[in-house]
Amino acid sequence: MTTKTQGLEAEWLLLQNQFDVYEKYSLVIKLVSVIVLCAFYWLNSVTAFAVMILLILWLQDAIWKTFQSRITPRLLMLEQAMRVEHTQEKAAEDNLAMLPCQFNSQYALSRPSQLGLIKEYGLQALRPTIAFPHGVLVTLAIMMFVVIA
């Protein structure tokens, strides 16, 4: 195994571990949202404030998942480079973009504008794996708020 391959594998392991951590905390945010709605319901105080808290948690989850999604392209590149390294060692050496530990530099080159970031967060919020349970909880909170009001 070459030093480059070792570097690629070390970077992949680090990024994959970070990707998994983001996933775990996204699930924690979803669980907190369920607990928040239940708490407001038990206190019989589902108000516009409760709806706003749920919307904030939904947006926070979308932002969190956006950070996670930035890791995916680099993981895929690393995996491809490792495949190439194993099949055609010379071809992988000529690929300067696949130097290990280039995640932040690579992201800086493709970072969107402020409006692009807002759009990226919004699109993440609409992904089914993020919208559930947030969309359901917000809908329930609004329905409870309307009934109580």
Side-chain angles (χ1 to χ4, degrees):
M1 182 180 294
T2 67
T3 303
K4 182 179 178 185
T5 302
Q6 290 172 338
L8 293 171
E9 288 180 4
E11 183 181 358
W12 185 90
L13 288 169
L14 177 71
L15 291 176
Q16 186 62 49
N17 182 51
Q18 189 62 41
F19 186 92
D20 294 340
V21 168
Y22 279 113
E23 191 65 31
K24 290 173 191 170
Y25 282 112
S26 176
L27 292 173
V28 168
I29 292 169
K30 289 173 174 71
L31 181 60
V32 167
S33 295
V34 170
I35 292 169
V36 164
L37 181 58
C38 288
F40 277 108
Y41 178 76
W42 288 324
L43 294 172
N44 201 23
S45 63
V46 178
T47 62
F49 178 74
V51 172
M52 289 303 299
I53 295 294
L54 292 172
L55 288 171
I56 289 168
L57 287 167
W58 188 352
L59 180 59
Q60 184 60 49
D61 194 17
I63 291 169
W64 197 251
K65 295 294 278 187
T66 300
F67 292 153
Q68 180 193 42
S69 73
R70 293 176 183 155
I71 295 172
T72 303
R74 183 65 181 175
L75 284 169
L76 295 172
M77 287 176 68
L78 289 166
E79 290 172 8
Q80 179 186 14
M82 286 186 278
R83 280 192 305 271
V84 169
E85 184 76 18
H86 290 295
T87 58
Q88 299 173 338
E89 189 170 313
K90 181 65 176 148
E93 289 173 5
D94 292 339
N95 188 355
L96 297 178
M98 288 316 309
L99 294 173
C101 305
Q102 298 298 303
F103 175 74
N104 292 306
S105 298
Q106 183 183 346
Y107 176 71
L109 294 174
S110 64
R111 185 183 187 280
S113 65
Q114 295 292 21
L115 287 176
L117 283 173
I118 292 169
K119 179 182 174 186
E120 190 176 0
Y121 295 151
L123 291 173
Q124 285 290 336
L126 296 175
R127 288 180 54 210
T129 55
I130 297 169
F132 181 82
H134 300 294
V136 174
L137 294 172
V138 168
T139 302
L140 284 172
I142 291 170
M143 290 170 51
M144 286 184 238
F145 174 64
V146 169
V147 170
I148 291 173

